[in-house]
Amino acid sequence: MSPSKSALFAVLVAVLTVFAAGCWNPFNPDDGDPSESQYYEFCDSAYKVIANLRHAYITRDIELYSSCFRDDFEFHLLQVDWADYDGDGQEDQFWGLDLEEAFTQNVFENSENIELTFTGNTVMEWSGALPGSGYLELPRTFELNVYTDVSQIEGYHAQGMARFVCRPDSTGEYYIYRWFDESDF
């Protein structure tokens, strides 16, 4: 065989060996394991609490989820979603931590799998606070898939923009102070 034919033959043998072993299929490539979600024990930066939020969704862990917030948390709704969520007879433009935890616990308990991706890395001072106060805004494009069956066919999809306002607590750990929903369902 000529050098080019022997090199081609060697590559062909290697490809067929891998293919026969079931490690690679050129017609249905394995994308590998989904990217691992990162969990931070202590969020000394605002981006870490957003990473923890994603991790809590993917693992459907309400305790980890709740650790991303403090008692002064507010989830701000799109105007189309304003309603009386707390039963006090008044239209709510946002809800607090208690309803956020209850709604999320319900999602976690009634889903088989959750996929959540955030895109973006912008961090800026939040315009709603005094300069230098430590309040940071992190706008993120997101895509959320909540599957309610094992086959991952049935479920819910949301995408759009979320603006997270994070601030440090008295220990220096960042938490989500405000969450502004700007999603496209």
Side-chain angles (χ1 to χ4, degrees):
M1 276 192 230
S2 70
S4 63
K5 284 185 180 178
S6 61
L8 179 62
F9 180 73
V11 169
L12 182 59
V13 168
V15 167
L16 289 175
T17 302
V18 171
F19 180 72
C23 296
W24 180 64
N25 179 347
F27 303 106
N28 186 19
D30 181 9
D31 293 330
D33 292 332
S35 61
E36 293 288 322
S37 63
Q38 178 72 42
Y39 179 76
Y40 296 95
E41 290 293 327
F42 186 82
C43 297
D44 58 354
S45 298
Y47 78 89
K48 290 180 180 179
V49 72
I50 304 304
N52 282 1
L53 178 78
R54 179 177 179 269
H55 180 82
Y57 260 99
I58 291 169
T59 60
R60 297 179 300 147
D61 187 321
I62 194 65
E63 288 181 29
L64 293 179
Y65 185 79
S66 296
S67 72
C68 295
F69 311 99
R70 302 296 181 273
D71 290 337
D72 60 352
F73 169 74
E74 293 178 358
F75 182 92
H76 289 259
L77 302 152
L78 293 169
Q79 186 173 0
V80 68
D81 295 325
W82 292 357
D84 182 13
Y85 291 98
D86 57 11
D88 66 359
Q90 296 182 18
E91 187 175 67
D92 298 313
Q93 297 178 18
F94 63 88
W95 60 61
L97 184 57
D98 56 341
L99 287 177
E100 180 64 22
E101 287 175 333
F103 292 150
T104 303
Q105 179 69 38
N106 187 43
V107 170
F108 289 178
E109 288 175 355
N110 292 294
S111 63
E112 291 294 326
N113 187 35
I114 296 177
E115 297 170 350
L116 175 62
T117 58
F118 288 120
T119 306
N121 58 10
T122 302
V123 178
M124 60 190 143
E125 283 193 51
W126 182 43
S127 62
L130 295 173
S133 63
Y135 290 74
L136 300 173
E137 182 175 339
L138 292 82
R140 297 292 183 262
T141 302
F142 73 91
E143 186 165 350
L144 173 67
N145 293 302
V146 177
Y147 298 105
T148 56
D149 67 335
V150 177
S151 65
Q152 299 192 79
I153 295 173
E154 299 293 322
Y156 307 95
H157 175 78
Q159 65 184 24
M161 177 68 78
R163 290 185 301 118
F164 299 99
V165 176
C166 301
R167 65 177 291 241
D169 64 14
S170 61
T171 69
E173 183 170 29
Y174 277 82
Y175 69 96
I176 300 170
Y177 173 68
R178 299 286 185 266
W179 179 343
F180 296 91
D181 178 25
E182 298 175 3
S183 59
D184 310 324
F185 285 95

